[in-house]
């Protein structure tokens, strides 16, 4: 769990027992025969885990509300001496269920959920990351495109977390990069040709990276509407995903499936 | 100092590894077993080992079975033209309880779930496509769970099977029998409308 985000720690020992918030469902786990543990990214309280009683039952009052990637309005409360919050009720604000129609889009959306769940510390509010996730999911759903929304997501997740390296210089020796940079597994940025590890690295045109960086300064919708994606998108996406894995010090399971090109 | 004697602690630890069993349930079962007779404990351990030794996958449908092929695959009264695809062996029991389905089954042993690293390679799909080669199968009913993973699996299967000229259908999703429209969310209501039928 990372703590570099400029966010505020949230104590949910509420004075009022019931609190209302907006949330994105990141994933769910079965709990016993009838309940679910729901991992949520909330707008006001950051990432939380809560129990939804009876959510596995066919006539559950939650219906399809707690399906992964649903954007919901949520009422939660906390019991003393319990780690997990309890969901009192939930209403669907926007569903991303239709994204299951395309397997690659499903993997991309779940990559976003997994990266956010691994990257964000629990109970630290960060509204900018919440808005980022929502914008990226909406863009994937609307455009059916994967590369640009994921690049935008990776870029801003790293930047908001304070982990975005300077793309203009070698991460090893600090020299200015030429036309080509090289990324080696586990590095915190690009290397120059002198510092690269030939067996483990892949090359990246610095001009592609600069073009992407410039595009990420505007809104994602404007970038997607700007026309055909520029060249080198796959390499840039792979590079940013690798940087996220380096910061997490673990592999993301959805990344292998994305690379698998299903 | 440990809370329980070592053999009892070990039994509780093993029980806790079972799905849906937490610390308190494990303790309750362990103490129940400790209080029961030796014959009861032997019968339970023999039943576990017996099931473990004798139950295998059906080579045709992947269902759990004592004899291969399983009784569903060898029953001459069952239609070979319809195959119902389900996620788990206990889903077969759910469909059988209706007493309305007279076709055969195929068990995937999972559903596509990128977050759990489950892709098409992890599902038992190979022998399904071998069964489709014979030309006898006219319809595939995809009865995966009505959730994100189940829906993705259903659509993935339909994209692979439809080009073979086989009809692919999906079990209906929507309002559960006995509930009220008032409490249905948008996704459930939309699916119910999509799956409406003429009466």
């Amino acid at each position: 769990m990372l703590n570099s985000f400029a966010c505020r720690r949230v104590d949910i020992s509420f004075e009022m027992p019931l609190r209302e918030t907006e949330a994105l469902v990141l994933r769910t786990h079965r709990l016993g025969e009838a309940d679910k543990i729901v991992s949520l990214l909330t707008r006001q309280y950051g990432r939380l885990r809560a129990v939804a009683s009876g959510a596995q039952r066919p006539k559950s009052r939650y219906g399809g509300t707690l399906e992964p990637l649903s954007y919901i309005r949520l009422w939660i409360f906390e019991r003393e001496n319990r780690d997990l919050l309890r969901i009192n009720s939930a209403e669907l604000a926007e569903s991303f269920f239709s994204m299951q129609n395309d397997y690659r889009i499903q993997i991309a959306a779940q990559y976003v959920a997994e990266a956010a769940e691994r990257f964000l510390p629990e109970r630290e509010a960060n509204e900018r990351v919440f808005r980022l996730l929502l914008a990226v999911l909406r863009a994937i759903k609307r455009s059916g495109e994967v590369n640009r929304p994921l690049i935008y997501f990776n870029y801003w997740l790293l930047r908001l977390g304070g982990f975005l390296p300077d793309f203009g210089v070698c991460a090893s020796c600090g020299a200015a990069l030429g036309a080509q940079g090289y990324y080696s597994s586990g590095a915190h940025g690009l290397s120059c040709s002198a510092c690269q590890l030939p067996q483990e690295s892949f090359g990246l045109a610095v001009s592609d990276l600069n073009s992407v960086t410039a595009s990420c300064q505007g809104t994602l919708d404007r970038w997607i509407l700007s026309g055909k994606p520029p060249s080198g998108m796959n390499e840039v996406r792979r590079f940013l995903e690798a940087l996220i894995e380096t910061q997490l010090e673990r592999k993301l399971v959805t990344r292998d499936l994305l690379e698998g090109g299903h | 100092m440990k809370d329980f004697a070592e053999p009892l602690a070990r039994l509780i630890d093993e029980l806790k590894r079972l799905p849906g069993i937490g610390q308190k349930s494990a303790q309750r079962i362990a103490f129940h077993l400790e209080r029961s007779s030796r014959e009861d404990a032997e019968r339970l351990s023999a039943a576990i080992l017996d099931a473990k030794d004798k139950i295998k996958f059906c080579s045709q449908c992947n269902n759990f079975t004592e004899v291969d092929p399983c009784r569903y695959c060898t029953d001459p009264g069952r239609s070979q033209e319809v195959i119902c695809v389900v996620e788990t062996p206990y889903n077969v029991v759910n469909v059988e309880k209706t007493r309305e389905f007279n076709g055969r089954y195929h068990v995937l042993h999972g559903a596509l779930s990128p977050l759990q690293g489950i892709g098409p390679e992890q599902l038992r799909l190979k022998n399904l496509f071998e069964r489709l080669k014979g030309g006898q199968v006219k319809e595939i009913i995809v009865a995966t769970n009505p959730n994100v993973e189940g829906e993705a699996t259903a659509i993935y299967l339909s994209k692979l099977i439809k080009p073979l000229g086989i009809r692919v259908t999906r079990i209906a999703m929507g309002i559960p029998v006995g509930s009220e429209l008032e409490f249905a969310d948008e996704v459930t209501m939309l699916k119910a409308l999509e799956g409406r039928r003429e009466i």
Side-chain angles (χ1 to χ4, degrees):
Chain A
M1 240 174 357
L2 302 169
N3 277 307
S4 290
F5 286 93
C7 45
R8 68 195 157 81
R9 182 88 190 159
V10 178
D11 183 9
I12 312 192
S13 304
F14 306 121
E15 286 176 21
M16 291 286 285
L18 200 63
R19 282 284 169 112
E20 182 183 343
T21 181
E22 289 167 48
L24 278 162
V25 179
L26 299 178
R27 71 196 295 179
T28 59
H29 308 267
R30 289 178 169 201
L31 177 65
E33 287 192 354
D35 306 339
K36 276 184 182 175
I37 294 177
V38 188
S39 176
L40 303 149
L41 180 64
T42 64
R43 191 188 282 271
Q44 285 92 337
Y45 311 113
R47 190 168 66 78
L48 302 173
R49 288 186 309 141
V51 174
S53 300
Q56 284 188 56
R57 293 186 205 280
K59 290 179 191 171
S60 152
R61 66 181 188 272
Y62 301 110
T65 310
L66 299 179
E67 283 302 300
L69 303 171
S70 296
Y71 172 34
I72 59 175
R73 182 165 292 279
L74 185 72
W75 288 265
I76 45 176
F77 63 96
E78 189 168 42
R79 285 183 179 164
E80 275 183 41
N81 306 320
R82 298 279 174 93
D83 290 338
L84 295 168
L85 295 149
R86 290 257 160 191
I87 297 177
N88 183 65
S89 59
E91 271 178 16
L92 193 65
E94 186 175 348
S95 170
F96 294 96
F97 199 85
S98 62
M99 290 204 293
Q100 313 317 314
N101 292 347
D102 186 318
Y103 184 49
R104 187 167 163 74
I105 287 177
Q106 188 208 12
I107 297 172
Q110 296 210 5
Y111 167 83
V112 171
E114 186 188 12
E117 192 182 34
R118 300 285 181 215
F119 218 82
L120 298 169
E122 218 167 328
R123 298 196 184 203
E124 288 192 8
N126 192 321
E127 199 190 343
R128 285 192 292 184
V129 176
F130 180 85
R131 283 193 280 119
L132 171 68
L133 252 76
L134 200 51
V136 168
L137 291 174
R138 282 173 174 161
I140 295 174
K141 183 183 174 186
R142 203 164 35 233
S143 67
E145 191 185 323
V146 167
N147 269 346
R148 280 185 285 190
L150 288 192
I151 287 170
Y152 193 88
F153 169 74
N154 291 327
Y155 176 89
W156 277 103
L157 194 65
L158 285 164
R159 186 163 163 182
L160 292 171
F163 300 110
L164 194 72
D166 183 347
F167 294 141
V169 297
C170 171
S172 304
C173 68
L177 289 175
Q180 189 87 351
Y182 299 90
Y183 182 74
S184 308
S185 176
H188 290 271
L190 289 175
S191 301
C192 60
S193 55
C195 296
Q196 67 154 321
L197 302 170
Q199 287 87 23
E200 301 165 22
S201 64
F202 62 89
L204 200 66
V206 173
S207 59
D208 287 345
L209 206 48
N210 288 337
S211 150
V212 161
T213 305
S215 300
C216 285
Q217 304 314 307
T219 66
L220 178 55
D221 285 341
R222 197 165 63 199
W223 188 21
I224 289 173
L225 289 172
S226 67
K228 209 177 155 205
S231 63
M233 289 288 102
N234 278 332
E235 288 71 27
V236 174
R237 181 173 58 75
R238 275 175 63 205
F239 165 60
L240 294 172
E241 285 164 7
L243 280 181
I244 286 180
E245 282 189 344
T246 301
Q247 294 301 338
L248 291 172
E249 297 180 351
R250 65 181 295 166
K251 284 192 77 67
L252 295 169
V253 289
T254 46
R255 195 180 162 214
D256 283 342
L257 294 169
L258 264 178
E259 295 299 325
H262 291 288
Chain B
M1 201 175 77
K2 284 193 171 182
D3 292 338
F4 303 105
E6 204 275 331
L8 198 57
R10 207 167 69 233
L11 176 59
I12 292 169
D13 284 344
E14 288 301 320
L15 290 168
K16 265 163 56 183
R17 293 171 58 192
L18 299 174
I21 305 286
Q23 174 72 26
K24 283 185 179 158
S25 299
Q27 283 176 27
R28 208 161 38 239
I29 297 167
F31 278 105
H32 172 80
L33 291 171
E34 201 48 46
R35 278 193 298 268
S36 61
S37 67
R38 183 174 177 81
E39 289 73 37
D40 286 345
E42 279 174 350
R43 209 165 46 243
L44 176 64
S45 62
I48 293 170
L49 286 175
D50 206 33
K52 199 70 200 153
D53 291 340
K54 290 181 181 166
I55 298 296
K56 51 197 163 198
F57 291 126
C58 171
S59 57
Q60 292 185 23
C61 72
N62 306 322
N63 196 3
F64 286 149
T65 179
E66 199 178 350
V67 286
D68 185 24
C70 72
R71 61 194 171 100
Y72 299 116
C73 291
T74 51
D75 185 348
R78 283 182 170 268
S79 167
Q80 294 189 43
E81 294 188 347
V82 187
I83 294 177
C84 180
V85 178
V86 293
E87 287 183 24
T88 62
Y90 44 80
N91 293 151
V92 171
V93 180
N94 295 124
V95 179
E96 278 300 296
K97 275 182 186 169
T98 64
R99 298 178 190 197
E100 289 289 324
F101 179 67
N102 195 33
R104 301 196 174 182
Y105 293 96
H106 190 87
V107 185
L108 298 174
H109 289 274
L112 295 177
S113 177
L115 275 173
Q116 291 171 37
I118 301 174
E121 294 80 13
Q122 282 71 43
L123 301 181
R124 290 177 176 262
L125 288 170
K126 199 178 163 191
N127 48 357
L128 173 63
F129 288 96
E130 280 165 13
R131 295 170 78 183
L132 302 182
K133 278 180 191 164
Q136 283 180 309
V137 179
K138 301 279 185 282
E139 182 181 356
I140 296 286
I141 302 171
V142 188
T144 50
N145 286 327
N147 54 24
V148 164
E149 291 88 359
E151 187 70 355
T153 309
I155 289 164
Y156 181 83
L157 282 177
S158 80
K159 284 182 179 168
L160 293 178
I161 296 170
K162 269 188 176 172
L164 304 175
I166 297 166
R167 186 172 178 233
V168 182
T169 55
R170 177 89 170 102
I171 53 166
M173 280 190 266
I175 314 294
V177 174
S179 68
E180 293 177 32
L181 288 186
E182 187 185 341
F183 302 110
D185 60 88
E186 292 95 303
V187 180
T188 308
M189 199 65 223
L190 177 69
K191 289 288 171 190
L193 282 170
E194 281 175 359
R196 70 188 186 277
R197 64 187 171 84
E198 199 172 328
I199 49 174

